[in-house]
Amino acid sequence: MLNRRKFISGSALGSLGVLLGKDAHSSSINRVPDAPLVVSTWDAGMDANRAAWEVLKTGGRALDAVERGVMETENSLNCCVGLGGNPDRDGFVTLDACIMDEQGNCGSVAFLERVKHPIAVARRVMEKTPHVMLVGSGAQQFALAEGFKLESAELSEDAQRAYKTWLEKSNYAPPEKNIENNKQHGPFAPTRLDNGEWNHDTIGMIALDKSGNLSGSCTTSGAGFKMRGRVGDSPLIGSGLYVDNEVGACTATGQGEEIIRIAGSHLVVEFMRNGLRPEEACKKAIGRLVNMRKDKLGDVQICFLAIDRSGSFGAFALRPGFTYAVRSRHEEKIHKAKSWFDK
Ligand code: GLY
């Protein structure tokens, strides 16, 4: 996770000869009238966008782009998406993912173990079953029947180290600073690590293709050291992801329990339907949660990233630190989202 979150310097991007956008702080609302366009959460979105762009630049479908893009992140062994992610409290990596296209077709898997590309399995659920969501051993059984390989259950080196550290305390207690928060939320709400990093991560991606169609994907290993069986927002259509081709699309990252409470991504799309621009819509959804939860939000982070069907994009977070990656014909860069609170 530390590697993922490292800020990608302007000079590194500049060397690609594609950094043409505004400065990071002033760019939360942008107009990109000409598709294609792809946006994704966090700095790791840069690599994922690059893979998606290979599909989009030749006129490919947004759905193919968002699947291909996040598979790049799922391949990575040093982050918190895919089998390289942190395990649950029993030492098993469990994966959640969903995908949605421009026609309202959607597919999802949750609590899936030992399969490298949950996003590809989610797409198969969408395309090959009459269902939207498969979970646990059923999702794995389906994946194997579809030809996906059963991978080793061994943790990545980073995850082994992190799990060993977590086991030293060997209890469900969160960091001391979160005790008050956890009295309210129960003991399963690990939020921020002692080093200040968030202990879970997600990649959400939205693309607008040359034909003007939107699709989105979202994939994660969820909260590190979560209770076994815990599922967050990422595989839930309407929470971690929502696409309405007539309006726009949104994806979420951060503490899934809070995002689920307000069906966050669907809410953002509905705010856009009512005329708000993407950043305003994301901000209003965060405001809804702040109003609903008041002092119960503790130390958590919650972030939304949205684009509308004309290619405007924007994001908003509960707290500072949320970054997202943008790739279009005009720019390839990291943006910093504005936030509700300043710390
Ligand atoms: N947003 C990812 C999770 O809570 O699992």
Side-chain angles (χ1 to χ4, degrees):
M1 181 160 64
L2 289 175
N3 290 341
R4 291 191 63 198
R5 298 278 173 85
K6 242 179 240 166
F7 188 73
I8 297 174
S9 73
S11 59
L13 293 174
S15 69
L16 295 171
V18 289
L19 201 165
L20 302 172
K22 297 173 191 171
D23 107 304
H25 296 276
S26 63
S27 57
S28 297
I29 297 178
N30 291 275
R31 281 231 156 244
V32 185
D34 41 354
L37 165 73
V38 59
V39 298
S40 57
T41 55
W42 304 111
D43 295 5
M46 289 296 288
D47 289 341
N49 284 358
R50 212 164 284 134
W53 190 252
E54 290 302 307
V55 177
L56 293 171
K57 75 178 184 193
T58 53
R61 196 177 165 201
L63 179 69
D64 295 325
V66 298
E67 180 188 19
R68 179 68 201 86
V70 302
M71 280 170 76
E72 192 70 20
T73 322
E74 289 176 342
N75 275 332
S76 167
L77 277 185
N78 63 355
C79 72
C80 299
V81 173
L83 292 175
N86 284 332
D88 64 17
R89 287 170 181 177
D90 293 4
F92 302 102
V93 176
T94 70
L95 304 177
D96 304 330
C98 74
I99 193 161
M100 189 164 187
D101 75 6
E102 77 279 3
Q103 298 167 45
N105 298 311
C106 44
S108 162
V109 290
F111 195 45
L112 174 62
E113 294 179 81
R114 297 179 61 185
V115 176
K116 195 171 185 182
H117 289 300
I119 197 66
V121 184
R123 182 166 176 178
R124 297 281 176 94
V125 172
M126 174 176 100
E127 291 180 339
K128 294 205 163 181
T129 80
H131 308 302
V132 166
M133 188 170 198
L134 293 178
V135 305
S137 58
Q140 191 189 68
Q141 185 182 328
F142 170 73
L144 300 187
E146 283 295 308
F148 290 86
K149 188 176 150 218
L150 191 64
E151 306 287 343
S152 157
E154 199 179 339
L155 301 180
S156 69
E157 280 180 25
D158 282 357
Q160 277 178 37
R161 259 194 304 276
Y163 187 47
K164 208 169 148 205
T165 305
W166 182 82
L167 282 175
E168 277 166 19
K169 292 188 182 170
S170 198
N171 59 36
Y172 283 10
E176 284 68 13
K177 64 184 173 185
N178 287 333
I179 280 177
E180 279 313 308
N181 173 45
N182 284 275
K183 274 184 194 156
Q184 295 164 2
H185 291 281
F188 72 96
T191 51
R192 195 150 39 181
L193 299 174
D194 291 340
N195 66 6
E197 288 287 317
W198 300 103
N199 71 348
H200 65 77
D201 211 298
T202 304
I203 183 157
M205 173 178 277
I206 311 164
L208 179 67
D209 64 28
K210 269 188 183 163
S211 309
N213 286 323
L214 289 162
S215 289
S217 59
C218 190
T219 177
T220 189
S221 54
F225 322 119
K226 59 195 171 190
M227 288 179 76
R228 185 143 178 84
R230 180 266 188 191
V231 170
D233 61 304
S234 300
L236 302 182
I237 297 294
S239 289
L241 176 71
Y242 198 71
V243 177
D244 184 326
N245 213 44
E246 290 186 353
V247 178
C250 177
T251 189
T253 178
Q255 190 75 27
E257 283 74 8
E258 300 303 333
I259 296 161
I260 292 169
R261 265 180 241 292
I262 57 166
S265 290
H266 184 263
L267 185 63
V268 170
V269 170
E270 290 308 297
F271 286 147
M272 289 194 288
R273 191 191 306 281
N274 291 339
L276 293 189
R277 299 188 61 165
E279 181 187 302
E280 295 165 342
C282 293
K283 182 177 181 182
K284 194 163 176 181
I286 296 282
R288 169 79 61 90
L289 197 54
V290 170
N291 187 47
M292 177 194 282
R293 300 288 283 159
K294 302 200 165 54
D295 57 350
K296 296 199 188 85
L297 276 173
D299 206 15
V300 302
Q301 173 66 306
I302 299 139
C303 322
F304 294 113
L305 169 61
I307 67 181
D308 67 22
R309 63 163 292 108
S310 71
S312 292
F313 60 86
F316 207 84
L318 184 65
R319 303 179 190 287
F322 176 46
T323 59
Y324 61 100
V326 177
R327 179 76 200 252
S328 70
R329 278 190 283 134
H330 306 283
E331 63 171 298
E332 181 181 24
K333 66 181 287 193
I334 302 285
H335 292 245
K336 283 185 184 172
K338 293 179 189 159
S339 58
W340 192 274
F341 297 124
D342 57 11
K343 61 184 172 106

